[in-house]
């Protein structure tokens, strides 16, 4: 049976200078999380998609936990009026709490911070540190260049093809939520296989 989801950790862009369609997706996700009673766990920012997402959850009667490092809060980019605000000493303990508190991970389009956060969630899953679902909103193919990079890693033997199953690239919010609903956790083989390299190029397992 699929595990019960009560909270979702969302990574997403903090920039205000992006197309309206990205804000609309953040608002749609916020409204739908609230409707399901899934608490939003996020970086605590009031800017960019982060702020729109959090405000949408609250506006629809949902609950939001923001987890923000002291330094960002002091810069004035934190959100006010959240259900709960956890202030951490630094970025690393912030991420650990965000990882711990969410039953699932979701990434919306974003910049370097978003990429770093979703790649860490994927890396930890690859190594067996967690078995939570990871869904990425691939709105209008925003993440296509990243998938192309992953494919390059597979083609050249750096990434095992089975790891393509670590996450779900969702074309829209409803598909993303359906994936989380039906997700069945399972383990993966070891990242490393002992190989005997007899020629140049990727060796067979
Ligand atoms: P970026 O994609 O570079 O805009 O960074 C967004 C991600 O980094 C978010 O998922 C947050 O966890 C974190 N982040 C960036 N800016 C802020 C901010 N002002 N307040 C809190 N977290 C932030």
């Amino acid at each position: 049976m699929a595990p019960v989801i009560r909270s979702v950790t969302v990574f997403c862009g903090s920039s205000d200078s992006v197309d309206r369609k990205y804000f609309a997706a953040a608002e749609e996700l916020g409204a739908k999380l609230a409707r399901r009673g899934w608490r939003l766990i996020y970086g605590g920012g009031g800017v960019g998609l982060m702020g729109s997402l959090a405000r949408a959850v609250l506006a629809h009667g949902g609950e939001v936990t923001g987890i923000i490092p002291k330094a960002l809060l002091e810069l004035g980019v934190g959100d006010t009026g959240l259900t709960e605000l956890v202030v951490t000493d630094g970025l690393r303990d912030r991420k650990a709490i965000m990882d711990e508190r969410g039953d699932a991970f979701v990434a919306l389009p974003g910049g370097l911070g978003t990429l770093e956060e979703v790649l860490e969630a994927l890396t930890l899953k690859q190594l067996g540190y967690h078995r939570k679902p990871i869904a990425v909103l691939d709105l209008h193919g925003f993440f296509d260049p990243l998938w192309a990079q992953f494919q390059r890693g597979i083609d050249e033997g750096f990434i095992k093809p089975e790891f393509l199953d670590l996450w779900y690239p969702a074309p829209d919010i409803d598909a993303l939520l359906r994936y989380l609903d039906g997700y069945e956790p399972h383990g993966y083989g070891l990242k490393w296989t002992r190989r005997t390299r007899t020629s140049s190029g990727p060796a067979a397992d």
Side-chain angles (χ1 to χ4, degrees), residues 11-15 43-45 47 50 68 72 77 94 98 110-114 117:
F11 311 123
C12 61
S14 61
S15 170
V47 284
M50 301 176 72
I68 192 163
L72 284 182
V77 290
R94 182 273 273 278
M98 286 175 76
L112 295 175
T114 303
E117 290 168 338

Side-chain angles (χ1 to χ4, degrees), residues 2 18 28-29 31-32 44 49 53 72 82-83 98 126 131 136 145 177 190 199 205:
V18 301
E28 182 185 343
L29 177 64
K32 289 181 174 172
L49 304 193
L53 170 69
L72 284 182
L82 304 179
T83 319
M98 286 175 76
Q126 168 185 253
R131 291 186 175 192
V136 177
L177 294 170
L190 256 192
S199 63
D205 281 345

